[in-house]
Amino acid sequence: MNKIQDIQQFLQDENLDAALITTPDNVFYVSGFKSEPHERLLGVMVFKEAEPFVICPLMEVPDLKASGWNFEAVGHQDTEDAWEVLAAAARKRNVSLEKIAIEKSHLTVERMERMEELFEGVTISRIDEKLNSLRNIKSEDELIKLRKAAELADYAIEVGCKEIAEGKTELEILMAIEFEMKGKGAEKMSFDTMVLSGPKTASPHGKPGSRKIQKGDFILFDLGVVYEGYCSDITRTVAFGEPSEKQREIYETVRKAEQAAIDLVRPGVKARELDKVARDVITEAGYGEYFTHRLGHGLGISVHEFPSITGTNDLELQEGMVFTIEPGIYNPEITGVRIEDDVVVTADGVEVLTKFPKELKIIEA
Amino acid sequence: MNKIQDIQQFLQDENLDAALITTPDNVFYVSGFKSEPHERLLGVMVFKEAEPFVICPLMEVPDLKASGWNFEAVGHQDTEDAWEVLAAAARKRNVSLEKIAIEKSHLTVERMERMEELFEGVTISRIDEKLNSLRNIKSEDELIKLRKAAELADYAIEVGCKEIAEGKTELEILMAIEFEMKGKGAEKMSFDTMVLSGPKTASPHGKPGSRKIQKGDFILFDLGVVYEGYCSDITRTVAFGEPSEKQREIYETVRKAEQAAIDLVRPGVKARELDKVARDVITEAGYGEYFTHRLGHGLGISVHEFPSITGTNDLELQEGMVFTIEPGIYNPEITGVRIEDDVVVTADGVEVLTKFPKELKIIEA
């Protein structure tokens, strides 16, 4: 239970008595228990010098234990005040509870006020940054899951390509992909699957609909799956029928930009340098105004997490960081193209998790 | 812009200067603008005596205006501090900003601390209950959307019934339903669609999977759609092949319980009385221990909202309240059955929004 020790070390270093962690993704990270409590109370409470506990709805206690949680499991029923139950479990430990860390970017004002009431005179501080920095560096165990999630995403693109046919709608292709993924053991898609065709490829946040595939379309797939709690996120853009010269030029520009960023990944390089090297390729090709978003985002338990790969982030890459690299050109007159891979920073370079080929795939129309 | 006036009236009554509303569902309710900002700032700020504004990411300003928002639209860019932009827009109004109401059950501690920094000396109070009580009573305009959402849910059940065939998996049926719904103009499903068969019907939170339909199964559909921002939620349980006597008995008990609760709906009746009348039917039939959840929940912009229809809620029903009635019996030895409708409290009784028939439907096996 390494992660508990990491939190306890933080409490030592900061001279705090306890931490209450309530973001579902962070609860999963620290305890191994994945649950979506909606409005109910779910949390893991870690003490500087006492046994931690997870508090969750009573009916979920069996799932909590099945997830491998070996410390106390505190269940609360709908007829109880969950915060009273939490406070009782904490007080039972007979340790000081004067300084408690919470996730200030997650806990609501109402819940903090409840804590201030229950732990009279408590001083509340932040644990957000500590959790982010722990989650920023993936363990080998986490990488195994991320590799598997990426492998499923590769396969999803393969399924999508096979489904492409004249007259089929974006939604039909999307459904075929998601159906196949559920059969393959993906818990769920990591976000709403995107299948966009023709002019819709030029809309980075477009929604799949009943548009029918036609000859000359580019088709953009952006999707990912959750595997054992970890996310993948891949984008590929393929051609249906022979592409025009301009379409090819845009595709090859994005491909070159993406590769340039991948080639630069290694410990010590700054996040913003990745964004710049990709953006420079696109700008030099004359398409700078059509690359309208950041280069990438961190990936792990959440599909968007730290680090953010933007043009202003001075963060130095470290071994074990995992993020996407996903430049795009969105030219409504010609086509949109985005290519996205998931990468890990290794001791001396990069491991690319998603492996679906990136030469322009032309599907016979 | 009625809802703005309602909030202004509240500010008058409570002697507050302004309210900042940030829950996406409440922003939609108050402003008509539906948006999922993720970690970005989205809010509507209403003043006792000045023009309200919506603050949102700059790229969403055109959508905000298209949604019919006629007051100021304040856009913020990723390179700006959104809270500084908000504070500047508020200060520009030259009104007192000493007492501001927020949704304490939603706003994070971090954001509140930011407000305390920007509006020095501010006193922060709650607007949560006011918003709940406003949303509790649906307008005719909202009812029109809820009726349409319910109509689509009825159709989804029809589609599901047609898809049932020996050897088909729960997931295949689910996909067929969702595919058809997207084609019919449903924005999305209002929650993860449930198609459960055979023994899985006895698990109120079961997940659809690759189990194949077989003769003698009951099949339980629980689903809903979002139509113009409003949700529906229906459950029907049907038989594949001739049911056993015990299965029939359970079905008819649930049906009778559901009807008893519907028949009791009118202004002045207490929420808990509905739960009791349905539970009594089930208990008298000897299945009390298998009805393990509350009778229903409020429905509107959120798929779970106020009022909660539980055995302990003393709330008196009022005209315009909308909620589900969904008793169930979950007997793992025989079958699970749940029947759920969406109802509106009318001036002198009830309007049932979902209309799919409730006589036990037996699909030929």
Side-chain angles (χ1 to χ4, degrees), chain B residues 44-63:
Chain B
V44 51
M45 194 151 184
V46 182
F47 302 86
K48 188 165 58 185
E49 285 160 342
E51 187 192 351
F53 66 81
V54 166
I55 181 162
C56 66
L58 187 64
M59 60 182 172
E60 292 187 10
V61 166
D63 292 339

Side-chain angles (χ1 to χ4, degrees), chain A residues 309-322:
Chain A
I309 313 296
T310 67
T312 53
N313 190 352
D314 281 326
L315 178 85
E316 281 190 14
L317 302 185
Q318 287 176 61
E319 185 179 351
M321 287 183 176
V322 174

Side-chain angles (χ1 to χ4, degrees), chain A residues 235-236 251 254-255 258 325-327 337-340 358:
Chain A
T235 307
R236 288 294 185 270
Y251 188 89
V254 174
R255 187 177 157 200
E258 206 237 3
I325 293 186
E326 48 177 311
V337 169
R338 181 167 62 252
I339 302 177
E340 173 185 29
K358 287 178 279 191

Side-chain angles (χ1 to χ4, degrees), chain A residues 273-343:
Chain A
E273 297 179 81
L274 299 184
D275 187 275
K276 181 171 187 326
V277 73
R279 206 168 295 276
D280 283 351
V281 170
I282 290 173
T283 304
E284 278 159 30
Y287 293 106
E289 66 180 302
Y290 299 114
F291 177 18
T292 48
H293 55 71
R294 62 178 171 178
L295 183 68
H297 55 81
L299 187 73
I301 295 169
S302 311
V303 70
H304 287 139
E305 57 181 55
F306 288 92
S308 185
I309 313 296
T310 67
T312 53
N313 190 352
D314 281 326
L315 178 85
E316 281 190 14
L317 302 185
Q318 287 176 61
E319 185 179 351
M321 287 183 176
V322 174
F323 49 85
T324 68
I325 293 186
E326 48 177 311
I329 294 176
Y330 310 96
N331 182 324
E333 307 294 312
I334 307 169
T335 188
V337 169
R338 181 167 62 252
I339 302 177
E340 173 185 29
D341 285 307
D342 304 340
V343 307

Side-chain angles (χ1 to χ4, degrees), chain A residues 136-155:
Chain A
N136 236 336
I137 307 299
K138 268 65 177 182
S139 66
E140 185 50 34
D141 183 54
E142 291 180 290
L143 289 176
I144 289 170
K145 291 165 187 167
L146 285 161
R147 283 189 196 103
K148 182 71 187 167
E151 197 183 310
L152 285 165
D154 284 338
Y155 178 61

Side-chain angles (χ1 to χ4, degrees), chain B residues 14 18 36 87 92 95 98 123 169 232 279 316 348 359 362:
Chain B
E14 302 288 318
E36 185 34 75
K92 209 179 65 182
V95 293
E98 284 166 18
T123 307
T169 68
S232 56
R279 206 168 294 276
E316 282 190 11
D348 57 358
E359 306 83 62
I362 301 172

